[in-house]
Amino acid sequence: MAENGTLKSVRDQTLVHTWVLEPKTEGVLTKAGLENIAEHKYVSGRYTHLDNLLNPIWTYLTNLLPMWLAPNMVTTFGGMHCGLSYAILWYYSPNFDQPTPDWVVLLSGYCTIAYYTLDCMDGKQARRTGASSPLGQLFDHGFDCICNLAHASNVAAFLVLGDTHWYLAMQTSLQFAFFMAQWEEYYTHILPHATGDWVGVTEVNYTMGLVAMILSMVDREACFIRPLSAVLPSALSASLPSVLTNLELRYVSISIWIFMLLTLISLSIIRVAKYVKSVPVFLSAVSKLLSPFLLMVSSFLLPSMVFESHARYCSVAAGLLFSLITKKMIVFSMAKMAFAAIQLEVLPFVLLCIWIRCDTNITKEGATLFLGIMCCWSAYRLTRWAGTAIDQICKRLDIYCLTIKKKTKAA
């Protein structure tokens, strides 16, 4: 028993603090990490009333799928909906500053609902086909964090945000909150799904989709590009500060959104603090928020003129790096590996933003070139890291990624 306990403590490195250096590996995962992943059991948080209400529908839809369809393909089909939505929104509004056709907003709303429905079906398909594996968690939550870019683009379309720092605040706060959920699981081993019995990820995703579909039928500019005072009773408007009543409804909506996310972030911090029950461990945990915080803040260092001209590039570069470090947190949580407080992948973007901020001689063409290179580099790092992790996990578990491997009968 003592030997097993010692082996377990050696393999579990989640409480080991490291600022920069992570365990040396042949790929991206250590041998001990792969063993931990092989033994990993997913534990979800509480479900809401809507989850329980829709569960029979998700089960019914899952039973319509062919038995040969791999659960990770169900996840992929869901992610493809987000990819389609994002690509079309990019085409019609490359820099978030062009009016989006009604049918595009309607399609984006449908894609959000379809994506989340398929996201709720992949685990059921895994259990139905006997193909459940820890890789499914990486695939599922890995797609979730990349699909946040599509969700942010969708919200920008139906709220008519334009190429403003308000859009950046909405996207980075969403991705930071998603990282926080994985950070919480890293320490508590439970992924939070909901706050209470009425509000959770199901409500948020379906609400975003339904609101987009409804707003595709109205004049969105007339609805949201007007001050708060235009919809408040005159007596109430007169009693509020002018800085609030003059704020346009689209920005009021984003302020409410950010306040909700800050509440979720605070709750995650409180739950982790209660779980670890140690000041040094808690401070080490907080240090792991440094990299996503730097990503979030550095984007705002860009001058307004640069950001307005390159909003899409800034969004993609920061969004892909957020996705990368979030995927690392997901995998390292399963692998029980030490996650460095400073993720080196984010430093080039941070330094680029500082350089553009400080160098008054940089031209628009120069900013375009370097931000474009940063987008390509971020995409390369993300796909390279995720591909290597998937390959290592598949070899260790003796499974295929997108198909169900037939089990060989013992002789």
Side-chain angles (χ1 to χ4, degrees):
M1 292 295 292
E3 183 179 351
N4 290 337
T6 302
L7 177 60
K8 182 177 180 180
S9 65
V10 170
R11 282 172 48 181
D12 188 349
Q13 299 292 303
T14 52
L15 300 184
V16 175
H17 179 76
T18 175
W19 281 107
V20 179
L21 299 178
E22 292 174 342
K24 293 183 178 180
T25 64
E26 294 181 1
V28 297
L29 298 168
T30 62
K31 291 182 179 180
L34 287 169
E35 294 304 316
N36 286 328
I37 287 177
E39 299 170 4
H40 176 75
K41 301 296 182 184
Y42 172 63
V43 180
S44 66
R46 67 194 301 174
Y47 292 100
T48 64
H49 293 305
L50 185 59
D51 288 323
N52 295 325
L53 179 66
L54 294 178
N55 190 60
I57 299 175
W58 296 331
T59 301
Y60 172 77
L61 293 173
T62 303
N63 290 335
L64 298 178
L65 300 176
M67 291 295 291
W68 52 261
L69 184 63
N72 287 341
M73 278 304 301
V74 179
T75 311
T76 302
F77 287 144
M80 289 170 65
H81 280 80
C82 287
L84 173 65
S85 168
Y86 190 77
I88 294 177
L89 284 168
W90 190 334
Y91 177 81
Y92 280 97
S93 186
N95 209 42
F96 305 111
D97 56 353
Q98 297 296 320
T100 309
D102 294 341
W103 71 268
V104 175
V105 177
L106 179 66
L107 176 65
S108 296
Y110 155 75
C111 286
T112 300
I113 293 173
Y115 144 78
Y116 188 74
T117 301
L118 289 164
D119 189 49
C120 293
M121 293 166 56
D122 53 12
K124 298 181 183 297
Q125 178 71 353
R127 291 184 289 273
R128 179 171 171 250
T129 58
S132 297
S133 74
L135 180 63
Q137 182 176 345
L138 167 60
F139 231 72
D140 188 324
H141 300 162
F143 261 108
D144 289 344
C145 59
I146 195 70
C147 285
N148 282 333
L149 275 174
H151 300 331
S153 184
N154 186 16
V155 172
F158 69 67
L159 284 184
V160 202
L161 282 184
D163 52 350
T164 66
H165 278 95
W166 283 94
Y167 170 80
L168 192 60
M170 183 265 294
Q171 176 187 309
T172 55
S173 62
L174 170 62
Q175 294 193 293
F176 191 91
F178 189 83
F179 179 90
M180 288 290 296
Q182 316 307 320
W183 172 81
E184 181 178 339
E185 184 187 22
Y186 183 84
Y187 285 97
T188 67
H189 314 298
I190 298 176
L191 181 68
H193 276 181
T195 300
D197 296 327
W198 294 97
V199 181
V201 292
T202 301
E203 288 76 9
V204 171
N205 278 277
Y206 280 144
T207 298
M208 282 195 302
L210 289 173
V211 168
M213 297 177 76
I214 293 170
L215 290 178
S216 69
M217 306 173 192
V218 303
D219 186 343
R220 293 178 294 282
E221 292 190 9
C223 182
F224 289 107
I225 305 181
R226 54 177 173 165
L228 179 63
S229 58
V231 298
L232 292 178
S234 56
L236 178 59
S237 180
S239 65
L240 296 174
S242 59
V243 67
L244 178 61
T245 56
N246 291 333
L247 198 62
E248 293 180 357
L249 288 179
R250 53 181 174 172
Y251 302 143
V252 172
S253 301
I254 293 303
S255 298
I256 295 172
W257 169 263
I258 293 174
F259 175 77
M260 291 172 56
L261 292 176
L262 287 175
T263 301
L264 294 177
I265 289 170
S266 300
L267 290 173
S268 285
I269 293 174
I270 292 171
R271 286 191 290 263
V272 169
K274 289 181 178 179
Y275 187 88
V276 298
K277 300 178 181 178
S278 166
V279 173
V281 174
F282 177 68
L283 292 177
S284 175
V286 171
S287 74
K288 292 176 173 55
L289 303 178
L290 180 59
S291 291
F293 180 77
L294 286 174
L295 264 182
M296 182 171 61
V297 172
S298 59
S299 303
F300 289 92
L301 294 177
L302 294 172
S304 296
M305 292 184 61
V306 173
F307 177 77
E308 290 169 3
S309 302
H310 307 89
R312 180 71 68 170
Y313 280 0
C314 297
S315 168
V316 170
L320 293 179
L321 288 173
F322 257 114
S323 181
L324 171 59
I325 62 174
T326 304
K327 283 180 173 63
K328 286 187 70 174
M329 180 60 78
I330 293 168
V331 175
F332 280 27
S333 176
M334 293 190 293
K336 294 182 172 60
M337 289 172 53
F339 184 91
I342 299 175
Q343 295 292 309
L344 297 179
E345 289 87 355
V346 310
L347 294 184
F349 180 75
V350 174
L351 294 175
L352 177 62
C353 290
I354 294 173
W355 175 38
I356 293 176
R357 175 77 180 187
C358 298
D359 188 355
T360 57
N361 295 321
I362 191 168
T363 63
K364 179 181 178 181
E365 291 75 15
T368 301
L369 173 63
F370 288 111
L371 286 170
I373 292 173
M374 184 57 60
C375 287
C376 294
W377 184 84
S378 301
Y380 168 76
R381 288 296 303 144
L382 172 62
T383 53
R384 177 68 181 272
W385 194 94
T388 303
I390 290 171
D391 183 62
Q392 284 188 275
I393 295 172
C394 284
K395 288 180 178 178
R396 170 58 186 85
L397 301 180
D398 192 26
I399 60 175
Y400 298 141
C401 180
L402 297 176
T403 57
I404 300 176
K405 187 173 186 178
K406 294 182 179 180
K407 297 180 180 178
T408 57
K409 294 182 179 180

